[in-house]
Amino acid sequence: MTTTRRLRGSTCRSSYADMLHDKDRNVKYYQGIRAAVSRVKERGQKALVLDIGTGTGLLSMMAVTAGADFCYAIEVFKPMADAAVKIVEKNGFSDKIKIINKHSTEVTVGPDGDMPCRANILVTELFDTELIGEGALPSYEHAHRHLVQENCEAVPHRATVYAQLVESRRMWSWNKLFPIHVQTSLGEQVIVPPLELERCPGAPSVYDIQLNQVSPADFTVLSDVLPMFSVDFSKQVSSSAACHSRQFEPLVSGRAQVVLSWWDIEMDPEGKIKCTMAPFWAHSDPEGLQWRDHWMQCVYFLSQEEPVIQGSALCLVAHHDDYCVWYSLWRTSPEKNGGDLHQVRPVCDCQAHLLWNRPRFGELNDQDRTDQYVQALGTVLKPDSICLCVSDGSLLPMLAWHLGAKQVFTVECSAASHRLMKKIFKANHLEEKINIIEKRSELLTPADLGGKKVSLLLGEPFFTTSLLPWHNLYFWYVRTAVDQHLVPSAIVMPQAASLHAMVVEFRDLWRIRSPCGDCEGFDVHIMDDMVKRALDFRESREAEPHPLWEYPCRSLSEPQRILTFDFRQLVPQQPVRAEGAIELRRPGRSHGAVLWMDYHLTPDSTVSTGLLRPAGDKGDCCWNPHCKQAVYFFSTSLDPRVPLSSPQSVTYTVEFRPHTGDITMDFRLSDDLGSVH
């Protein structure tokens, strides 16, 4: 499970199901456990297993089935530990597996301890996409010192982290603010980033994505795949900061910007049983690639882009502390030149990387999107326009000024955002032209606006606290709150928004919510029941955000407009409700409905957070890569044991509740399958 993408509270709804469906992972662990137990038995010893992070207890049950004499299965998350106790009992292993609901560092060994003696087989699944991001190194370090025998068997036995240096304008746009070109009646104006943003080393956290969904056309490979460092889990592990360098010669000349990284785990000392996260171009069997969402691939950004020359040796350095990995590029071997490899983890000092996430950087750098806003602004701006922008960290105020607005105000709620935008305005010599108001829009006073009335209210809309597409309807509430500051004929841009839905079949994403039932011969129905109970909570029955450019799907219906919100009017007092049916046009398994918002800047200009173009003949979808779309899963279609049905339509009830800002929804298949919560 990846800590940057999954919250612990949602674990039982998605990531555990995803892991249980990971056939490659399960088979390789089973093979490795069998081999480890056999090696211990061949030495004439009892096989005592310590399973840290047992989850469902699956690996412990594998160990007992493989011949282990006893297993101590540790799980700190109490609901999961309780489920593991029931699963172990259901499968008849209670006499040989003890579930310990503690963090592994709290486990005691001795006559009165949680374990009577140290284990001689260490089985773990403590890894995230970055390998060490969930505290694997401190857990292993403690286990070797206190819980397992010296030179114990370990499954997995070893992990190796790999890296590949690339040049990629697309991925670099997730990390730096590019110059933005604005066509005006006076010629082209260029919005430039402050020097502080350009020099900033960026955010220290990894960007974990489904790298297999990034087109090879979006990056240029500059290096071979480099094995950066390995960890032998059968020996004492250190969580201390360390670094590892690899010399290489660039394959082509270019600009080093991004490090792509992944890892593999070898389940046995000989390295014959291997589970790899390698993307398709570095995979030994691209056709047999295992889809998984709990482990993906990593994108790291160098602190600055560096020119590289084909054949001219360089040194890539992987640094890590106990939880994080980062990379640096050296012209010569730092060891030979007395360089300090032990660099401090980079930290953003420009504020932008703390306020804007990676998709937001990409959105701001999207020149086509900027051009669309420029064209729309050009149709509504007048020489006497008094503009007020109410989006978070938006460049719209600069667009409005360059296009000829008389005066521009912008609201930034936080002090950090205020400082960042002030730097950007100053770098573009607009600090005296654009007035930044540091307060919530609802608290604006006439004095904040210099006694002037606003004739053009602007929003992207974008707010940093928004998770689901319709959360940016906060713009409508702001528009309502500032109505007293608008002239009667004021223009609001966007003038309206609409909520759209489409029924889809996912290639793989359905697995994160699909019941498992039986996993490698073990009954885990109790886990399925736990997932179902979690889904009974109100917040879990609703749609959840996913960046669908990473998760291919086919449309089974045409997109359908569900609700429209007119920003020219105030937020209504009564709920807005819509009922209808979405007709299915293509055969397939209806996994769920995807929902998104379209923002109608003017009658002739619309910006979509969903589909970028109509689906192809086969239903293939192209989604806005800067936004998360909302997915409402149909539970009856997520169970592979349920025969494929052919509903003719999906009926829906959707309601916008103005007093809370919530949108509630219910979707039902038309073939008597009942509710699809």
Side-chain angles (χ1 to χ4, degrees):
M1 186 184 72
T2 304
T3 54
T4 54
R5 296 173 68 91
R6 299 276 183 252
L7 298 180
R8 189 63 167 174
S10 65
T11 299
C12 62
R13 301 204 303 267
S14 60
S15 294
Y16 275 113
D18 178 28
M19 287 188 281
L20 291 174
H21 283 289
D22 189 341
K23 181 74 174 178
D24 179 62
R25 163 193 175 271
N26 298 339
V27 168
K28 300 292 175 56
Y29 261 101
Y30 211 165
Q31 291 173 348
I33 289 170
R34 284 196 192 100
V37 171
S38 294
R39 288 192 297 273
V40 170
K41 292 288 189 178
E42 287 170 1
R43 295 196 292 265
Q45 301 174 356
K46 284 189 174 183
L48 303 177
V49 176
L50 173 63
D51 176 7
I52 301 179
T54 194
T56 59
L58 177 65
L59 302 185
S60 288
M61 293 189 294
M62 288 179 177
V64 171
T65 304
D69 294 277
F70 202 85
C71 292
Y72 301 94
I74 301 171
E75 175 56 52
V76 68
F77 186 44
K78 191 175 190 312
M80 198 65 249
D82 293 342
V85 169
K86 296 176 183 176
I87 292 171
V88 166
E89 182 180 6
K90 175 77 173 178
N91 286 273
F93 295 117
S94 294
D95 61 332
K96 288 203 172 184
I97 299 175
K98 178 183 179 181
I99 305 297
I100 303 171
N101 180 208
K102 289 183 176 181
H103 193 281
S104 63
T105 57
E106 299 172 339
V107 172
T108 57
V109 177
D112 298 321
D114 300 304
M115 301 167 56
C117 62
R118 292 184 178 226
N120 55 12
I121 300 177
L122 176 58
V123 176
T124 61
E125 206 281 58
L126 299 172
F127 316 117
D128 68 346
T129 293
E130 200 174 15
L131 184 70
I132 67 172
E134 288 190 351
L137 295 182
S139 296
Y140 271 112
E141 185 175 43
H142 178 271
H144 276 287
R145 287 179 177 172
H146 302 286
L147 304 178
V148 297
Q149 298 174 16
E150 187 176 358
N151 296 321
C152 69
E153 298 289 342
V155 182
H157 179 82
R158 181 188 298 106
T160 302
V161 172
Y162 299 88
Q164 191 167 35
L165 189 67
V166 304
E167 174 181 352
S168 173
R169 179 175 175 81
R170 180 188 178 188
M171 286 187 267
W172 195 238
S173 77
W174 300 337
N175 183 56
K176 298 289 185 180
L177 184 62
F178 294 169
I180 296 167
H181 300 268
V182 184
Q183 299 297 332
T184 75
S185 59
L186 300 177
E188 183 180 82
Q189 301 289 330
V190 180
I191 296 173
V192 298
L195 196 57
E196 190 174 343
L197 265 72
E198 292 187 317
R199 292 176 175 173
C200 180
S205 59
V206 64
Y207 190 21
D208 51 337
I209 65 173
Q210 294 283 356
L211 197 54
N212 289 309
Q213 298 308 315
V214 176
S215 169
D218 281 334
F219 61 93
T220 300
V221 171
L222 300 180
S223 79
D224 290 321
V225 175
L226 305 172
M228 296 306 300
F229 65 92
S230 294
V231 183
D232 186 337
F233 297 124
S234 69
K235 299 177 181 178
Q236 181 61 57
V237 172
S238 173
S239 63
S240 299
C243 52
H244 313 269
S245 63
R246 290 291 178 269
Q247 194 170 42
F248 70 99
E249 293 185 357
L251 302 174
V252 297
S253 298
R255 301 194 68 80
Q257 298 168 326
V258 174
V259 176
L260 308 180
S261 182
W262 57 90
W263 49 263
D264 63 33
I265 45 179
E266 297 170 358
M267 300 298 183
D268 61 323
E270 297 77 24
K272 295 179 180 178
I273 308 168
K274 183 181 291 188
C275 184
T276 181
M277 306 307 116
F280 67 86
W281 67 86
H283 203 284
S284 58
D285 180 21
E287 297 300 319
L289 202 66
Q290 169 74 53
W291 183 88
R292 46 174 67 95
D293 200 43
H294 58 106
W295 295 329
M296 292 177 286
Q297 295 79 37
C298 302
V299 175
Y300 296 95
F301 305 98
L302 295 178
S303 59
Q304 300 295 325
E305 62 179 4
E306 298 282 352
V308 300
I309 300 173
Q310 182 179 4
S312 180
L314 293 170
C315 199
L316 185 65
V317 181
H319 311 259
H320 73 79
D321 53 23
D322 50 351
Y323 281 89
C324 296
V325 179
W326 65 96
Y327 286 86
S328 63
L329 190 64
W330 296 67
R331 291 288 168 187
T332 57
S333 176
E335 297 99 328
K336 293 180 180 179
N337 291 278
D340 181 13
L341 280 178
H342 295 277
Q343 293 184 338
V344 176
R345 181 157 56 106
V347 176
C348 170
D349 55 20
C350 75
Q351 303 292 319
H353 300 91
L354 304 179
L355 293 167
W356 299 336
N357 60 21
R358 274 58 180 260
R360 178 59 173 168
F361 266 99
E363 188 172 55
L364 293 173
N365 285 322
D366 187 337
Q367 186 65 51
D368 290 339
R369 179 179 180 274
T370 297
D371 291 343
Q372 195 167 356
Y373 275 95
V374 168
Q375 292 171 8
L377 273 169
T379 66
V380 297
L381 266 174
K382 299 176 182 177
D384 61 348
S385 290
I386 306 296
C387 301
L388 173 63
C389 180
V390 292
S391 285
D392 289 347
S394 177
L395 304 183
L396 283 184
M398 289 192 286
L399 301 186
W401 178 263
H402 284 310
L403 291 170
K406 181 179 180 180
Q407 193 165 4
V408 180
F409 298 91
T410 185
V411 174
E412 295 294 345
C413 297
S414 73
S417 186
H418 184 185
R419 288 194 298 269
L420 171 62
M421 298 314 298
K422 189 173 181 179
K423 293 174 189 174
I424 295 175
F425 295 162
K426 184 176 182 180
N428 290 275
H429 310 292
L430 295 176
E431 68 271 29
E432 302 297 329
K433 310 290 179 58
I434 300 175
N435 297 281
I436 308 178
I437 305 169
E438 187 186 331
K439 61 167 55 176
R440 293 178 61 86
S441 300
E442 299 90 327
L443 303 178
L444 281 178
T445 65
D448 294 322
L449 300 170
K452 296 183 173 65
K453 290 283 189 177
V454 173
S455 58
L456 177 57
L457 181 66
L458 298 175
E460 296 190 38
F462 172 85
F463 300 97
T464 55
T465 55
S466 298
L467 295 176
L468 290 164
W470 46 86
H471 289 170
N472 284 323
L473 284 175
Y474 177 63
F475 174 79
W476 202 6
Y477 291 84
V478 172
R479 177 263 179 274
T480 301
V482 303
D483 186 64
Q484 59 181 310
H485 303 297
L486 308 182
V487 299
S489 59
I491 295 172
V492 179
M493 192 186 99
Q495 67 175 27
S498 50
L499 176 67
H500 296 252
M502 185 172 71
V503 178
V504 303
E505 176 184 43
F506 285 107
R507 183 196 299 172
D508 296 296
L509 186 63
W510 60 273
R511 300 175 194 275
I512 70 170
R513 294 283 290 271
S514 174
C516 186
D518 178 275
C519 185
E520 302 308 316
F522 301 101
D523 186 344
V524 293
H525 280 90
I526 291 168
M527 181 65 200
D528 295 337
D529 295 340
M530 183 179 177
V531 172
K532 186 177 184 301
R533 286 195 300 273
L535 294 173
D536 287 339
F537 289 105
R538 174 176 176 271
E539 66 271 16
S540 303
R541 293 200 305 266
E542 297 176 348
E544 57 187 53
H546 290 282
L548 291 187
W549 73 268
E550 296 184 52
Y551 303 102
C553 62
R554 293 174 54 244
S555 67
L556 302 184
S557 73
E558 296 301 316
Q560 188 157 322
R561 181 179 294 193
I562 304 296
L563 288 174
T564 299
F565 312 94
D566 188 349
F567 298 150
R568 294 168 297 185
Q569 307 298 321
L570 304 183
V571 174
Q573 295 297 309
Q574 300 302 318
V576 180
R577 184 183 177 91
E579 298 180 355
I582 302 175
E583 299 298 321
L584 302 187
R585 303 294 179 88
R586 298 181 181 90
R589 187 179 286 275
S590 304
H591 286 142
V594 176
L595 300 101
W596 68 91
M597 298 289 290
D598 281 358
Y599 291 99
H600 310 289
L601 307 182
T602 67
D604 302 317
S605 180
T606 295
V607 172
S608 179
T609 67
L611 283 178
L612 293 183
R613 55 178 178 267
D617 294 339
K618 296 181 180 180
D620 296 331
C621 302
C622 179
W623 300 101
N624 187 326
H626 312 311
C627 307
K628 288 184 178 180
Q629 293 74 38
V631 179
Y632 186 105
F633 287 105
F634 302 163
S635 61
T636 50
S637 291
L638 299 174
D639 191 340
R641 297 165 296 186
V642 175
L644 179 64
S645 59
S646 300
Q648 299 301 306
S649 65
V650 173
T651 60
Y652 63 83
T653 303
V654 178
E655 184 174 274
F656 169 65
R657 298 177 176 177
H659 292 295
T660 62
D662 291 336
I663 291 183
T664 60
M665 59 193 68
D666 181 51
F667 289 85
R668 297 172 184 267
L669 303 180
S670 63
D671 56 354
D672 300 324
L673 289 179
S675 173
V676 293
H677 282 316

